Amino acid sequence: MSKVAVVYYSGTGNTEAIAELVAEGAREAGAEADVFSVDDFDVNDADNYDAFALGCPASGSEELDDSEFVPMLDELEPKISGKNVVLFGSYGHGDGEYQNDWQERSEAAGLKVLGKLAVEQDPSEDEDITAAKELGAKLA
Ligand SMILES: Cc1cc2nc3c(=O)[nH]c(=O)nc-3n(C[C@H](O)[C@H](O)[C@H](O)COP(=O)(O)O)c2cc1C
């Protein structure tokens, strides 16, 4: 059974809600999935997982959160080179374009990006819920 870690940063809860849906989708597809907010995740446990769903909202100016998420990512990426990942997060006034740079960064670090999902604010629409679960299923 594939073991998935869902690791997210969320300031106001929207990306957290997506994280729970991604984990649900992974479990429904047969994987084991653990969900961690970024401050609860120990990068030294990365070897325990086959695949990662990484979540961060659009922050700064179309950037990742650099207070907690980027410092964690800087440590995590070298430990999970070659592994499958999906990227997700919420955005507000933009269009989710911050995820393009994030995908490039991930691939440059050797991660295999199987998919990504940007949701406007919270995942309340049926199509967002379906897309988040499908994203998780890709890692199973
Ligand atoms: C400091 C700050 C910077 C933000 N920068 C962007 C941005 O560049 N582009 C965008 O689309 N939304 C931006 N937003 C909006 C958030 O991405 C949006 O509210 C998102 O739903 C927050 O997700 P969260 O609840 O997981 O924290 C910003 C919000 C804050 C507080």
Side-chain angles (χ1 to χ4, degrees):
M1 184 192 282
S2 172
K3 204 169 167 195
V4 174
V6 181
V7 186
Y8 68 90
Y9 168 83
S10 188
T12 56
N14 295 333
T15 301
E16 180 179 10
I18 307 169
E20 293 296 345
L21 292 165
V22 169
E24 211 175 307
R27 291 182 192 121
E28 284 172 4
E32 194 179 317
D34 294 335
V35 183
F36 303 93
S37 72
V38 68
D39 45 347
D40 287 338
F41 182 65
D42 184 346
V43 294
N44 295 311
D45 292 338
D47 285 350
N48 298 340
Y49 295 93
D50 305 302
F52 290 79
L54 303 172
C56 184
S59 310
S61 176
E62 294 302 324
E63 291 159 351
L64 296 171
D65 164 72
D66 62 8
S67 64
E68 294 182 53
F69 193 75
V70 169
M72 184 281 298
L73 214 48
D74 287 342
E75 285 188 54
L76 179 66
E77 284 170 340
K79 293 180 187 292
I80 64 170
S81 188
K83 289 190 178 177
N84 290 335
V85 302
V86 296
L87 313 177
F88 65 90
S90 176
Y91 67 93
H93 54 269
D95 61 4
E97 69 178 77
Y98 75 104
Q99 293 193 348
N100 297 332
D101 289 344
W102 188 8
Q103 178 168 4
E104 272 182 34
R105 172 196 167 125
S106 302
E107 288 171 349
L111 314 190
K112 294 184 183 146
V113 181
L114 301 188
K116 57 190 197 310
L117 174 68
V119 173
E120 188 176 0
Q121 305 297 352
D122 63 321
S124 54
E125 307 284 332
D126 283 351
E127 65 186 54
D128 298 331
I129 293 167
T130 301
K133 288 186 176 184
E134 283 176 359
L135 193 72
K138 285 185 181 173
L139 292 177

